[in-house]
Amino acid sequence: RNLSTRGRAVERSMASPARSLEPFDPVLSAAAEPVVLPVPAGAVKVLPRWAEEDQVRRWRLKYRQQEQGETDRSGEQGSLDDGLAWVEVELRSFTRELPLVGLQHGEPHIFKVAVETPHGWSDWSTVVSCIPPSPLPPGKCAAVLASVHDDTTALVAWTRPIDCAAAVNIGEVGCYRVLISWPNGQREEMVEGDIDHHFVTGLECLTDYRFQVSGENCSGWGEYSDLSPVLQVPPPVPHRLQQPTLRRATHHTAVIQWQHPQSSGVPVDSFSFRYTTAEAFPEGKVANPEAHYVEVTDVPSNASQFVIQNLRPGQQYIFQVRALNKFGKGVWSDTSIPSRTLEGKAPSKISTLAAPNIYRSFITLQWTPAEENGYEVTSHLMRYANKEDMSDAQEMVPIVVNKGGLDQCELRHLKKSAYWFQIAAFNEVGISGWSDPCHVNLSVEHRLEDA
């Protein structure tokens, strides 16, 4: 059979029966014995020898694996027929090198050649013996990279090593081992199959880990790869919380609610949340100085809702929440649905004006403070009259103090006459309505009741 590819012929022998070519009768003396070189792995290279003046047209090669227990045939006359099956190939003279792959590695093979010139075929050369080398263990894995998968797991990936066994179809890497090293120890994990990654579990946070990988084929274990870059599994800070919800918004308050994170081996120490009137939370410091931005910390770990104070009336707020443990702070949750506080307005009408203390020319007026309705009450206005219809009313600014949760003012040097009093409250929006009149008659003498 004539085989040629760019001046080279390749023949595979997979224990197939002898291939027969048309026999020839030698008319010339034996050809020069070939040079047979071992080539990794399970292969040899056959180089026939002749002089240019021989004008060789074709040449033939016979080879076979040496039988078990057979004596070394090297140096024997190739013309001797041993009655065994040989593989025979024929090639043209321009093929001066013939690689043979797929031979049984580690076992001796024998070879002989004959050449054809214009005068006819030569006799077979003397027998040459050669042992195809066994494949080497896999090469060193390259580019071992490790990345964090979760709180206790790393993904270790590597480039598959060069494997001579797989290259000649006599085996492949069937197993890997991953060496995990840290300052106080190391351990090994076996990985079955020809793969290029492995999940390493049971890692501890804040520890420097490095990884090495080696592969195994039919010839044994390859060399460990170089150490991977240092990898630290990050501290198991709390998981990101779900979006918080807001309810019962008033002028200055709202109730924020959230769900606790998934349970883990590290308990939550506290919660914190933040809120702003801006459209979104900026990175770092508040970009808009006019926006109302507040962060609340040290909320107890057993809480799942919190009343937020000091909000601005008529403003739209967004909120975020996160959990903290001994390792650090979790990531801020998604932003809540925007929530608006009640619009501010003038204080409510004072409804409980009374005179608990009445003397000859001195009285005390007292009332429950007006509802602020979003803005602080800044002052009060009083009017008084001697007629019930308040037609002759006069106005004054009283000095108001708060005692025991009630607002009071004292009026002195009053005449012995009947009076009707009304109170109104001011904030930055405006004035409340006048209270209902409080009647005090100083024309009647007031005495303390007997005990």
Side-chain angles (χ1 to χ4, degrees), residues 34 64 323 352 414 419:
R64 67 175 175 85
T352 58
L414 299 176
Y419 288 91

Side-chain angles (χ1 to χ4, degrees), residues 238 265-269 324-328:
V266 183
V268 171
D269 291 337
L324 297 84
N325 63 18
K326 66 179 183 180
F327 290 109

Side-chain angles (χ1 to χ4, degrees), residues 173-177 189-195 197-198 216:
V173 175
C175 184
Y176 289 92
R177 57 185 176 185
E189 292 188 8
M190 306 301 294
V191 184
E192 297 293 334
D194 185 15
I195 60 178
H197 66 276
H198 175 62
E216 182 190 37

Side-chain angles (χ1 to χ4, degrees), residues 196-208:
D196 60 1
H197 66 276
H198 175 62
F199 289 97
V200 177
T201 59
L203 304 181
E204 297 182 357
C205 66
L206 303 178
T207 301
D208 290 342

Side-chain angles (χ1 to χ4, degrees), residues 271-284:
F271 293 97
S272 64
F273 54 86
R274 62 181 180 175
Y275 55 90
T276 183
T277 55
E279 294 183 357
F281 289 97
E283 296 295 331

